[in-house]
CSV table of all heavy atoms in Angstrom, one decimal:
chain,number,residue,atom,x,y,z
A,1,MET,N,4.3,-13.8,18.4
A,1,MET,CA,4.3,-15.1,17.7
A,1,MET,C,3.1,-15.1,16.7
A,1,MET,O,2.0,-14.9,17.1
A,1,MET,CB,4.2,-16.2,18.7
A,1,MET,CG,4.3,-17.6,18.1
A,1,MET,SD,4.2,-19.0,19.3
A,1,MET,CE,5.9,-19.1,19.7
A,2,THR,N,3.4,-15.5,15.5
A,2,THR,CA,2.3,-15.6,14.5
A,2,THR,C,1.5,-16.8,14.7
A,2,THR,O,1.8,-17.7,15.4
A,2,THR,CB,2.9,-15.6,13.0
A,2,THR,OG1,3.6,-16.9,12.9
A,2,THR,CG2,3.8,-14.5,12.8
A,3,LYS,N,0.3,-16.8,14.1
A,3,LYS,CA,-0.6,-18.0,14.1
A,3,LYS,C,0.1,-19.2,13.7
A,3,LYS,O,0.0,-20.3,14.3
A,3,LYS,CB,-1.8,-17.7,13.3
A,3,LYS,CG,-3.0,-18.6,13.5
A,3,LYS,CD,-4.1,-18.2,12.7
A,3,LYS,CE,-5.4,-18.6,13.2
A,3,LYS,NZ,-6.6,-18.2,12.4
A,4,LEU,N,0.9,-19.1,12.5
A,4,LEU,CA,1.6,-20.2,12.0
A,4,LEU,C,2.7,-20.7,13.0
A,4,LEU,O,2.8,-21.9,13.2
A,4,LEU,CB,2.3,-19.9,10.7
A,4,LEU,CG,3.1,-21.0,10.0
A,4,LEU,CD1,2.2,-22.2,9.8
A,4,LEU,CD2,3.7,-20.5,8.7
A,5,GLU,N,3.4,-19.8,13.6
A,5,GLU,CA,4.4,-20.2,14.6
A,5,GLU,C,3.8,-20.9,15.8
A,5,GLU,O,4.3,-21.9,16.3
A,5,GLU,CB,5.2,-19.0,15.1
A,5,GLU,CG,6.1,-18.4,14.0
A,5,GLU,CD,6.7,-17.1,14.4
A,5,GLU,OE1,6.1,-16.3,15.2
A,5,GLU,OE2,7.7,-16.7,13.8
A,6,GLN,N,2.6,-20.5,16.2
A,6,GLN,CA,1.9,-21.2,17.3
A,6,GLN,C,1.5,-22.6,16.9
A,6,GLN,O,1.6,-23.5,17.7
A,6,GLN,CB,0.6,-20.4,17.7
A,6,GLN,CG,0.9,-19.1,18.3
A,6,GLN,CD,-0.3,-18.2,18.5
A,6,GLN,OE1,-1.4,-18.5,18.0
A,6,GLN,NE2,-0.2,-17.2,19.4
A,7,ILE,N,1.0,-22.7,15.6
A,7,ILE,CA,0.6,-24.1,15.1
A,7,ILE,C,1.8,-25.0,15.1
A,7,ILE,O,1.8,-26.1,15.5
A,7,ILE,CB,-0.1,-23.9,13.8
A,7,ILE,CG1,-1.4,-23.2,13.9
A,7,ILE,CG2,-0.2,-25.3,13.1
A,7,ILE,CD1,-2.1,-22.8,12.6
A,8,GLN,N,2.9,-24.4,14.6
A,8,GLN,CA,4.2,-25.2,14.5
A,8,GLN,C,4.6,-25.7,15.9
A,8,GLN,O,5.0,-26.8,16.0
A,8,GLN,CB,5.3,-24.4,13.8
A,8,GLN,CG,5.0,-24.2,12.3
A,8,GLN,CD,5.9,-23.2,11.6
A,8,GLN,OE1,6.4,-22.3,12.3
A,8,GLN,NE2,6.2,-23.5,10.4
A,9,ALA,N,4.6,-24.8,16.8
A,9,ALA,CA,5.0,-25.1,18.2
A,9,ALA,C,4.1,-26.2,18.8
A,9,ALA,O,4.6,-27.1,19.4
A,9,ALA,CB,5.0,-23.9,19.1
A,10,THR,N,2.8,-26.1,18.5
A,10,THR,CA,1.9,-27.1,19.0
A,10,THR,C,2.2,-28.5,18.3
A,10,THR,O,2.2,-29.5,19.0
A,10,THR,CB,0.4,-26.7,18.7
A,10,THR,OG1,0.2,-25.5,19.4
A,10,THR,CG2,-0.5,-27.7,19.2
A,11,ILE,N,2.4,-28.5,17.0
A,11,ILE,CA,2.7,-29.7,16.3
A,11,ILE,C,4.0,-30.4,16.8
A,11,ILE,O,4.0,-31.6,17.0
A,11,ILE,CB,2.8,-29.4,14.8
A,11,ILE,CG1,1.4,-29.1,14.2
A,11,ILE,CG2,3.4,-30.6,14.0
A,11,ILE,CD1,1.5,-28.6,12.8
A,12,GLU,N,5.0,-29.6,17.2
A,12,GLU,CA,6.2,-30.2,17.7
A,12,GLU,C,6.0,-31.0,19.0
A,12,GLU,O,6.8,-31.8,19.4
A,12,GLU,CB,7.2,-29.1,17.9
A,12,GLU,CG,7.8,-28.6,16.6
A,12,GLU,CD,8.8,-27.5,16.8
A,12,GLU,OE1,9.1,-27.0,17.9
A,12,GLU,OE2,9.4,-27.1,15.8
A,13,ASN,N,4.9,-30.7,19.7
A,13,ASN,CA,4.6,-31.4,21.0
A,13,ASN,C,3.7,-32.5,20.8
A,13,ASN,O,3.3,-33.2,21.8
A,13,ASN,CB,4.0,-30.4,22.0
A,13,ASN,CG,5.1,-29.4,22.4
A,13,ASN,OD1,6.2,-29.7,22.7
A,13,ASN,ND2,4.7,-28.1,22.4
A,14,LEU,N,3.3,-32.9,19.6
A,14,LEU,CA,2.4,-34.0,19.3
A,14,LEU,C,3.1,-35.3,19.4
A,14,LEU,O,4.3,-35.4,19.1
A,14,LEU,CB,1.7,-33.9,18.0
A,14,LEU,CG,0.8,-32.7,17.7
A,14,LEU,CD1,0.3,-32.7,16.3
A,14,LEU,CD2,-0.4,-32.7,18.7
A,15,SER,N,2.4,-36.3,19.7
A,15,SER,CA,3.0,-37.7,19.7
A,15,SER,C,3.1,-38.2,18.3
A,15,SER,O,2.5,-37.6,17.3
A,15,SER,CB,2.1,-38.7,20.5
A,15,SER,OG,0.9,-38.9,19.8
A,16,SER,N,3.8,-39.2,18.1
A,16,SER,CA,4.0,-39.8,16.7
A,16,SER,C,2.6,-40.2,16.1
A,16,SER,O,2.4,-39.9,14.9
A,16,SER,CB,4.9,-41.0,16.7
A,16,SER,OG,6.2,-40.6,17.1
A,17,ALA,N,1.8,-40.8,16.9
A,17,ALA,CA,0.4,-41.1,16.5
A,17,ALA,C,-0.4,-39.9,16.1
A,17,ALA,O,-1.1,-39.9,15.1
A,17,ALA,CB,-0.3,-41.9,17.6
A,18,GLU,N,-0.3,-38.9,16.9
A,18,GLU,CA,-1.0,-37.6,16.5
A,18,GLU,C,-0.5,-37.0,15.3
A,18,GLU,O,-1.3,-36.5,14.4
A,18,GLU,CB,-0.9,-36.7,17.7
A,18,GLU,CG,-1.7,-37.1,18.9
A,18,GLU,CD,-1.5,-36.3,20.2
A,18,GLU,OE1,-0.3,-35.8,20.4
A,18,GLU,OE2,-2.4,-36.0,20.9
A,19,ILE,N,0.8,-37.0,15.1
A,19,ILE,CA,1.4,-36.5,13.9
A,19,ILE,C,0.9,-37.3,12.6
A,19,ILE,O,0.7,-36.7,11.6
A,19,ILE,CB,2.9,-36.4,14.0
A,19,ILE,CG1,3.3,-35.3,15.0
A,19,ILE,CG2,3.6,-36.2,12.6
A,19,ILE,CD1,4.8,-35.3,15.3
A,20,ALA,N,0.9,-38.6,12.8
A,20,ALA,CA,0.4,-39.4,11.7
A,20,ALA,C,-1.1,-39.1,11.3
A,20,ALA,O,-1.4,-39.0,10.1
A,20,ALA,CB,0.5,-40.9,12.1
A,21,LYS,N,-1.9,-38.9,12.3
A,21,LYS,CA,-3.3,-38.5,12.1
A,21,LYS,C,-3.4,-37.1,11.4
A,21,LYS,O,-4.2,-36.9,10.5
A,21,LYS,CB,-4.1,-38.5,13.4
A,21,LYS,CG,-4.4,-39.9,13.9
A,21,LYS,CD,-5.2,-39.8,15.2
A,21,LYS,CE,-5.5,-41.2,15.7
A,21,LYS,NZ,-6.3,-41.1,17.0
A,22,LEU,N,-2.5,-36.2,11.9
A,22,LEU,CA,-2.5,-34.9,11.3
A,22,LEU,C,-2.0,-34.9,9.8
A,22,LEU,O,-2.6,-34.3,9.0
A,22,LEU,CB,-1.5,-34.0,12.1
A,22,LEU,CG,-1.3,-32.6,11.5
A,22,LEU,CD1,-2.6,-31.8,11.5
A,22,LEU,CD2,-0.2,-31.8,12.3
A,23,ARG,N,-1.0,-35.7,9.6
A,23,ARG,CA,-0.5,-35.9,8.2
A,23,ARG,C,-1.6,-36.4,7.3
A,23,ARG,O,-1.9,-36.0,6.2
A,23,ARG,CB,0.7,-36.8,8.2
A,23,ARG,CG,1.3,-37.0,6.8
A,23,ARG,CD,2.6,-37.8,6.8
A,23,ARG,NE,3.6,-37.2,7.5
A,23,ARG,CZ,4.1,-37.6,8.7
A,23,ARG,NH1,3.7,-38.7,9.2
A,23,ARG,NH2,5.1,-36.9,9.3
A,24,GLU,N,-2.4,-37.4,7.8
A,24,GLU,CA,-3.5,-38.0,7.0
A,24,GLU,C,-4.6,-36.9,6.8
A,24,GLU,O,-5.1,-36.8,5.7
A,24,GLU,CB,-4.1,-39.2,7.8
A,24,GLU,CG,-5.2,-39.9,7.1
A,24,GLU,CD,-5.8,-41.0,7.9
A,24,GLU,OE1,-5.0,-41.7,8.6
A,24,GLU,OE2,-7.0,-41.2,7.9
A,25,TRP,N,-4.9,-36.1,7.8
A,25,TRP,CA,-5.9,-35.1,7.6
A,25,TRP,C,-5.4,-34.0,6.6
A,25,TRP,O,-6.2,-33.6,5.8
A,25,TRP,CB,-6.2,-34.4,9.0
A,25,TRP,CG,-7.2,-33.3,8.9
A,25,TRP,CD1,-8.5,-33.4,8.8
A,25,TRP,CD2,-6.9,-31.9,8.8
A,25,TRP,NE1,-9.1,-32.2,8.7
A,25,TRP,CE2,-8.1,-31.2,8.7
A,25,TRP,CE3,-5.7,-31.2,8.8
A,25,TRP,CZ2,-8.2,-29.8,8.6
A,25,TRP,CZ3,-5.8,-29.8,8.7
A,25,TRP,CH2,-7.0,-29.1,8.6
A,26,LEU,N,-4.1,-33.7,6.7
A,26,LEU,CA,-3.6,-32.7,5.8
A,26,LEU,C,-3.6,-33.2,4.3
A,26,LEU,O,-3.9,-32.5,3.4
A,26,LEU,CB,-2.2,-32.3,6.1
A,26,LEU,CG,-2.0,-31.4,7.4
A,26,LEU,CD1,-0.6,-31.2,7.8
A,26,LEU,CD2,-2.6,-30.0,7.1
A,27,ASP,N,-3.3,-34.5,4.1
A,27,ASP,CA,-3.4,-35.1,2.8
A,27,ASP,C,-4.8,-35.0,2.3
A,27,ASP,O,-5.0,-34.7,1.1
A,27,ASP,CB,-2.9,-36.5,2.8
A,27,ASP,CG,-1.4,-36.7,3.0
A,27,ASP,OD1,-0.7,-35.6,2.8
A,27,ASP,OD2,-0.9,-37.8,3.3
A,28,GLU,N,-5.8,-35.4,3.1
A,28,GLU,CA,-7.2,-35.3,2.7
A,28,GLU,C,-7.6,-33.9,2.4
A,28,GLU,O,-8.3,-33.6,1.4
A,28,GLU,CB,-8.1,-35.9,3.8
A,28,GLU,CG,-7.9,-37.4,3.9
A,28,GLU,CD,-8.6,-38.0,5.1
A,28,GLU,OE1,-9.3,-37.3,5.9
A,28,GLU,OE2,-8.5,-39.2,5.4
A,29,LEU,N,-7.2,-32.9,3.2
A,29,LEU,CA,-7.5,-31.5,3.0
A,29,LEU,C,-6.9,-31.1,1.7
A,29,LEU,O,-7.6,-30.4,0.9
A,29,LEU,CB,-7.0,-30.7,4.1
A,29,LEU,CG,-7.1,-29.2,4.0
A,29,LEU,CD1,-8.6,-28.7,3.9
A,29,LEU,CD2,-6.4,-28.4,5.1
A,30,ASP,N,-5.7,-31.4,1.4
A,30,ASP,CA,-5.0,-31.0,0.2
A,30,ASP,C,-5.7,-31.6,-1.0
A,30,ASP,O,-5.9,-30.9,-2.0
A,30,ASP,CB,-3.5,-31.5,0.2
A,30,ASP,CG,-2.7,-30.9,-0.9
A,30,ASP,OD1,-2.8,-29.7,-1.2
A,30,ASP,OD2,-1.9,-31.7,-1.5
A,31,ALA,N,-6.1,-32.8,-0.9
A,31,ALA,CA,-6.8,-33.5,-2.1
A,31,ALA,C,-8.2,-32.8,-2.3
A,31,ALA,O,-8.6,-32.5,-3.4
A,31,ALA,CB,-7.0,-34.9,-1.8
A,32,ARG,N,-8.9,-32.5,-1.2
A,32,ARG,CA,-10.2,-31.8,-1.3
A,32,ARG,C,-10.1,-30.4,-1.9
A,32,ARG,O,-10.8,-30.0,-2.8
A,32,ARG,CB,-10.9,-31.7,0.0
A,32,ARG,CG,-12.3,-31.1,0.0
A,32,ARG,CD,-13.0,-31.2,1.3
A,32,ARG,NE,-12.3,-30.7,2.4
A,32,ARG,CZ,-12.2,-29.5,2.9
A,32,ARG,NH1,-12.7,-28.5,2.2
A,32,ARG,NH2,-11.5,-29.2,4.0
A,33,LEU,N,-9.1,-29.7,-1.5
A,33,LEU,CA,-8.9,-28.3,-2.0
A,33,LEU,C,-8.5,-28.4,-3.5
A,33,LEU,O,-8.9,-27.5,-4.3
A,33,LEU,CB,-7.8,-27.6,-1.2
A,33,LEU,CG,-8.2,-27.3,0.3
A,33,LEU,CD1,-7.0,-26.6,1.0
A,33,LEU,CD2,-9.4,-26.4,0.3
A,34,PHE,N,-7.6,-29.4,-3.8
A,34,PHE,CA,-7.2,-29.5,-5.2
A,34,PHE,C,-8.5,-29.8,-6.1
A,34,PHE,O,-8.7,-29.2,-7.2
A,34,PHE,CB,-6.2,-30.6,-5.4
A,34,PHE,CG,-5.8,-30.9,-6.8
A,34,PHE,CD1,-4.8,-30.1,-7.4
A,34,PHE,CD2,-6.3,-31.9,-7.5
A,34,PHE,CE1,-4.4,-30.3,-8.7
A,34,PHE,CE2,-5.9,-32.1,-8.8
A,34,PHE,CZ,-5.0,-31.3,-9.4
A,35,ASP,N,-9.3,-30.8,-5.6
A,35,ASP,CA,-10.5,-31.1,-6.4
A,35,ASP,C,-11.4,-29.9,-6.5
A,35,ASP,O,-12.0,-29.7,-7.6
A,35,ASP,CB,-11.3,-32.2,-5.7
A,35,ASP,CG,-10.6,-33.6,-5.8
A,35,ASP,OD1,-9.6,-33.7,-6.6
A,35,ASP,OD2,-10.9,-34.5,-5.0
A,36,GLU,N,-11.6,-29.1,-5.5
A,36,GLU,CA,-12.4,-27.9,-5.6
A,36,GLU,C,-11.9,-26.9,-6.6
A,36,GLU,O,-12.6,-26.3,-7.3
A,36,GLU,CB,-12.6,-27.3,-4.2
A,36,GLU,CG,-13.4,-28.1,-3.2
A,36,GLU,CD,-13.4,-27.6,-1.8
A,36,GLU,OE1,-12.7,-26.6,-1.5
A,36,GLU,OE2,-14.0,-28.2,-0.9
A,37,LYS,N,-10.6,-26.8,-6.6
A,37,LYS,CA,-9.9,-25.8,-7.6
A,37,LYS,C,-10.2,-26.3,-9.0
A,37,LYS,O,-10.5,-25.5,-9.9
A,37,LYS,CB,-8.5,-25.7,-7.3
A,37,LYS,CG,-7.8,-24.7,-8.3
A,37,LYS,CD,-6.5,-24.3,-7.9
A,37,LYS,CE,-5.8,-23.3,-8.8
A,37,LYS,NZ,-6.5,-22.7,-9.9
A,38,ILE,N,-10.0,-27.6,-9.2
A,38,ILE,CA,-10.2,-28.2,-10.6
A,38,ILE,C,-11.6,-28.0,-11.0
A,38,ILE,O,-11.9,-27.6,-12.1
A,38,ILE,CB,-9.8,-29.7,-10.6
A,38,ILE,CG1,-8.3,-29.9,-10.5
A,38,ILE,CG2,-10.4,-30.3,-11.9
A,38,ILE,CD1,-7.5,-29.4,-11.6
A,39,ASP,N,-12.6,-28.2,-10.0
A,39,ASP,CA,-14.0,-28.0,-10.3
A,39,ASP,C,-14.3,-26.5,-10.7
A,39,ASP,O,-15.0,-26.2,-11.7
A,39,ASP,CB,-14.8,-28.4,-9.1
A,39,ASP,CG,-16.3,-28.5,-9.5
A,39,ASP,OD1,-16.7,-29.1,-10.5
A,39,ASP,OD2,-17.1,-28.0,-8.7
A,40,ARG,N,-13.7,-25.6,-9.9
A,40,ARG,CA,-13.9,-24.2,-10.2
A,40,ARG,C,-13.3,-23.8,-11.6
A,40,ARG,O,-13.9,-23.1,-12.4
A,40,ARG,CB,-13.3,-23.3,-9.1
A,40,ARG,CG,-14.0,-23.2,-7.9
A,40,ARG,CD,-13.5,-22.1,-6.9
A,40,ARG,NE,-12.1,-22.2,-6.7
A,40,ARG,CZ,-11.4,-22.9,-5.8
A,40,ARG,NH1,-12.1,-23.6,-5.0
A,40,ARG,NH2,-10.1,-22.9,-5.7
A,41,ASP,N,-12.1,-24.3,-11.8
A,41,ASP,CA,-11.5,-24.0,-13.1
A,41,ASP,C,-12.3,-24.6,-14.3
A,41,ASP,O,-12.4,-23.9,-15.3
A,41,ASP,CB,-10.0,-24.6,-13.1
A,41,ASP,CG,-9.1,-23.8,-12.2
A,41,ASP,OD1,-9.5,-22.7,-11.8
A,41,ASP,OD2,-7.9,-24.2,-12.0
A,42,ALA,N,-12.8,-25.8,-14.1
A,42,ALA,CA,-13.6,-26.4,-15.2
A,42,ALA,C,-14.8,-25.6,-15.4
A,42,ALA,O,-15.2,-25.3,-16.6
A,42,ALA,CB,-13.9,-27.8,-14.8
A,43,LYS,N,-15.5,-25.2,-14.4
A,43,LYS,CA,-16.7,-24.4,-14.5
A,43,LYS,C,-16.5,-23.0,-15.2
A,43,LYS,O,-17.3,-22.5,-15.8
A,43,LYS,CB,-17.4,-24.2,-13.2
A,43,LYS,CG,-18.1,-25.5,-12.7
A,43,LYS,CD,-18.7,-25.3,-11.3
A,43,LYS,CE,-19.4,-26.6,-10.9
A,43,LYS,NZ,-19.9,-26.6,-9.5
A,44,ALA,N,-15.3,-22.5,-14.9
A,44,ALA,CA,-14.9,-21.2,-15.5
A,44,ALA,C,-14.4,-21.3,-16.9
A,44,ALA,O,-14.0,-20.3,-17.5
A,44,ALA,CB,-13.8,-20.5,-14.6
A,45,GLY,N,-14.2,-22.5,-17.4
A,45,GLY,CA,-13.8,-22.7,-18.8
A,45,GLY,C,-12.3,-22.7,-18.9
A,45,GLY,O,-11.7,-22.7,-20.0
A,46,LYS,N,-11.6,-22.7,-17.8
A,46,LYS,CA,-10.1,-22.6,-17.8
A,46,LYS,C,-9.4,-23.9,-18.4
A,46,LYS,O,-8.3,-23.9,-18.8
A,46,LYS,CB,-9.5,-22.3,-16.5
A,46,LYS,CG,-9.9,-20.9,-16.0
A,46,LYS,CD,-9.2,-20.7,-14.6
A,46,LYS,CE,-9.5,-19.3,-14.1
A,46,LYS,NZ,-8.9,-19.0,-12.8
A,47,LEU,N,-10.2,-25.0,-18.4
A,47,LEU,CA,-9.7,-26.3,-18.9
A,47,LEU,C,-10.1,-26.6,-20.4
A,47,LEU,O,-9.7,-27.6,-21.0
A,47,LEU,CB,-10.1,-27.4,-18.0
A,47,LEU,CG,-9.7,-27.2,-16.5
A,47,LEU,CD1,-10.2,-28.4,-15.7
A,47,LEU,CD2,-8.2,-27.1,-16.4
A,48,ASP,N,-10.9,-25.7,-20.9
A,48,ASP,CA,-11.5,-26.0,-22.3
A,48,ASP,C,-10.4,-26.1,-23.3
A,48,ASP,O,-10.4,-26.9,-24.2
A,48,ASP,CB,-12.4,-24.8,-22.7
A,48,ASP,CG,-13.7,-24.9,-21.8
A,48,ASP,OD1,-13.9,-25.8,-21.1
A,48,ASP,OD2,-14.5,-23.9,-22.0
A,49,LYS,N,-9.4,-25.2,-23.3
A,49,LYS,CA,-8.3,-25.2,-24.3
A,49,LYS,C,-7.5,-26.6,-24.1
A,49,LYS,O,-7.2,-27.2,-25.2
A,49,LYS,CB,-7.3,-24.1,-24.0
A,49,LYS,CG,-6.2,-24.0,-25.1
A,49,LYS,CD,-5.3,-22.8,-24.8
A,49,LYS,CE,-4.1,-22.9,-25.8
A,49,LYS,NZ,-3.2,-21.8,-25.6
A,50,LEU,N,-7.2,-27.0,-22.9
A,50,LEU,CA,-6.5,-28.3,-22.7
A,50,LEU,C,-7.3,-29.4,-23.3
A,50,LEU,O,-6.8,-30.4,-23.9
A,50,LEU,CB,-6.2,-28.5,-21.3
A,50,LEU,CG,-5.2,-27.5,-20.7
A,50,LEU,CD1,-5.1,-27.7,-19.2
A,50,LEU,CD2,-3.8,-27.7,-21.3
A,51,ALA,N,-8.6,-29.4,-23.0
A,51,ALA,CA,-9.5,-30.5,-23.5
A,51,ALA,C,-9.5,-30.5,-25.0
A,51,ALA,O,-9.4,-31.6,-25.6
A,51,ALA,CB,-10.9,-30.3,-22.9
A,52,ALA,N,-9.6,-29.3,-25.6
A,52,ALA,CA,-9.6,-29.2,-27.1
A,52,ALA,C,-8.3,-29.8,-27.7
A,52,ALA,O,-8.3,-30.5,-28.7
A,52,ALA,CB,-9.9,-27.8,-27.5
A,53,GLU,N,-7.2,-29.4,-27.0
A,53,GLU,CA,-5.9,-29.9,-27.5
A,53,GLU,C,-5.8,-31.4,-27.4
A,53,GLU,O,-5.3,-32.1,-28.3
A,53,GLU,CB,-4.8,-29.3,-26.7
A,53,GLU,CG,-4.6,-27.8,-27.0
A,53,GLU,CD,-3.5,-27.2,-26.1
A,53,GLU,OE1,-2.8,-27.9,-25.4
A,53,GLU,OE2,-3.4,-25.9,-26.2
A,54,ALA,N,-6.3,-32.0,-26.3
A,54,ALA,CA,-6.3,-33.4,-26.1
A,54,ALA,C,-7.2,-34.1,-27.2
A,54,ALA,O,-6.8,-35.2,-27.7
A,54,ALA,CB,-6.7,-33.8,-24.7
A,55,LEU,N,-8.3,-33.6,-27.4
A,55,LEU,CA,-9.2,-34.2,-28.4
A,55,LEU,C,-8.6,-34.1,-29.8
A,55,LEU,O,-8.7,-35.1,-30.6
A,55,LEU,CB,-10.6,-33.5,-28.4
A,55,LEU,CG,-11.4,-33.8,-27.1
A,55,LEU,CD1,-12.7,-32.9,-27.1
A,55,LEU,CD2,-11.8,-35.3,-27.1
A,56,ALA,N,-8.0,-33.0,-30.1
A,56,ALA,CA,-7.3,-32.8,-31.4
A,56,ALA,C,-6.2,-33.8,-31.6
A,56,ALA,O,-6.0,-34.5,-32.6
A,56,ALA,CB,-6.8,-31.4,-31.6
A,57,ASP,N,-5.4,-34.0,-30.5
A,57,ASP,CA,-4.3,-35.0,-30.5
A,57,ASP,C,-4.8,-36.4,-30.8
A,57,ASP,O,-4.3,-37.1,-31.6
A,57,ASP,CB,-3.5,-34.9,-29.2
A,57,ASP,CG,-2.6,-33.7,-29.1
A,57,ASP,OD1,-2.3,-33.0,-30.2
A,57,ASP,OD2,-2.0,-33.5,-28.0
A,58,HIS,N,-5.9,-36.7,-30.1
A,58,HIS,CA,-6.5,-38.0,-30.2
A,58,HIS,C,-7.0,-38.2,-31.7
A,58,HIS,O,-6.8,-39.3,-32.3
A,58,HIS,CB,-7.7,-38.2,-29.2
A,58,HIS,CG,-8.4,-39.5,-29.4
A,58,HIS,ND1,-7.8,-40.7,-29.0
A,58,HIS,CD2,-9.6,-39.8,-29.8
A,58,HIS,CE1,-8.6,-41.7,-29.2
A,58,HIS,NE2,-9.7,-41.2,-29.7
A,59,ALA,N,-7.6,-37.2,-32.2
A,59,ALA,CA,-8.1,-37.3,-33.6
A,59,ALA,C,-7.0,-37.5,-34.6
A,59,ALA,O,-7.2,-38.1,-35.7
A,59,ALA,CB,-8.9,-36.0,-33.9
A,60,HIS,N,-5.8,-37.0,-34.3
A,60,HIS,CA,-4.6,-37.2,-35.1
A,60,HIS,C,-3.8,-38.4,-34.8
A,60,HIS,O,-2.6,-38.5,-35.2
A,60,HIS,CB,-3.8,-35.9,-35.1
A,60,HIS,CG,-4.4,-34.7,-35.8
A,60,HIS,ND1,-5.1,-33.8,-35.1
A,60,HIS,CD2,-4.5,-34.4,-37.1
A,60,HIS,CE1,-5.6,-32.9,-35.9
A,60,HIS,NE2,-5.3,-33.2,-37.2
A,61,GLY,N,-4.4,-39.3,-34.0
A,61,GLY,CA,-3.7,-40.5,-33.7
A,61,GLY,C,-2.6,-40.4,-32.7
A,61,GLY,O,-1.7,-41.2,-32.6
A,62,LYS,N,-2.5,-39.3,-31.9
A,62,LYS,CA,-1.5,-39.1,-31.0
A,62,LYS,C,-1.8,-39.5,-29.6
A,62,LYS,O,-1.4,-39.0,-28.6
A,62,LYS,CB,-1.1,-37.6,-30.9
A,62,LYS,CG,-0.6,-37.1,-32.2
A,62,LYS,CD,-0.2,-35.6,-32.1
A,62,LYS,CE,0.3,-35.0,-33.4
A,62,LYS,NZ,0.5,-33.6,-33.3
A,63,SER,N,-2.7,-40.6,-29.5
A,63,SER,CA,-3.0,-41.1,-28.2
A,63,SER,C,-2.9,-42.6,-28.3
A,63,SER,O,-2.8,-43.2,-29.3
A,63,SER,CB,-4.5,-40.7,-27.8
A,63,SER,OG,-5.4,-41.2,-28.7
A,64,ARG,N,-3.0,-43.3,-27.1
A,64,ARG,CA,-2.9,-44.7,-27.0
A,64,ARG,C,-3.8,-45.2,-25.9
A,64,ARG,O,-4.1,-44.5,-25.0
A,64,ARG,CB,-1.5,-45.2,-26.8
A,64,ARG,CG,-0.8,-44.7,-25.6
A,64,ARG,CD,0.6,-45.2,-25.5
A,64,ARG,NE,1.3,-44.5,-24.4
A,64,ARG,CZ,1.4,-44.9,-23.2
A,64,ARG,NH1,0.8,-46.0,-22.8
A,64,ARG,NH2,2.0,-44.3,-22.3
A,65,LYS,N,-4.2,-46.5,-26.0
A,65,LYS,CA,-5.0,-47.1,-25.0
A,65,LYS,C,-4.2,-47.3,-23.8
A,65,LYS,O,-3.0,-47.7,-23.9
A,65,LYS,CB,-5.6,-48.4,-25.5
A,65,LYS,CG,-6.7,-48.2,-26.5
A,65,LYS,CD,-7.3,-49.5,-26.9
A,65,LYS,CE,-8.4,-49.3,-27.9
A,65,LYS,NZ,-9.1,-50.5,-28.2
A,66,LEU,N,-4.8,-47.1,-22.6
A,66,LEU,CA,-4.1,-47.4,-21.4
A,66,LEU,C,-4.3,-48.9,-21.0
A,66,LEU,O,-5.2,-49.5,-21.2
A,66,LEU,CB,-4.6,-46.5,-20.3
A,66,LEU,CG,-4.3,-45.0,-20.5
A,66,LEU,CD1,-5.0,-44.2,-19.4
A,66,LEU,CD2,-2.8,-44.7,-20.5
């Protein structure tokens, strides 16, 4: 049995309340990992082209106030 299969089997035996807490924790983990990836990408310059395109669009009147 793989590690993932063991985790899945354990999850199947959790109560509804425990599953809700697990889901909340997974959502928070996912958000934190996403934020960390965005931060790494920004520091590596991977977002520079997108930022330049957005600024150019704004300069050409292709944006609107929210």
Side-chain angles (χ1 to χ4, degrees):
M1 181 179 275
T2 68
K3 193 177 204 177
L4 178 58
E5 290 169 334
Q6 291 173 346
I7 293 168
Q8 289 170 327
T10 301
I11 290 171
E12 288 181 354
N13 291 314
L14 295 177
S15 69
S16 295
E18 291 170 321
I19 289 174
K21 287 181 182 180
L22 175 61
R23 184 177 292 115
E24 183 179 323
W25 179 81
L26 286 170
D27 287 344
E28 291 170 2
L29 174 64
D30 190 44
R32 181 173 49 85
L33 294 175
F34 179 81
D35 289 346
E36 289 171 1
K37 180 168 179 15
I38 291 292
D39 191 47
R40 284 191 311 272
D41 287 351
K43 287 178 181 174
K46 292 182 178 180
L47 304 177
D48 292 352
K49 182 179 176 185
L50 293 173
E53 288 175 10
L55 291 172
D57 284 347
H58 179 70
H60 289 96
K62 296 180 181 177
S63 63
R64 58 184 170 88
K65 290 185 178 183
L66 297 176

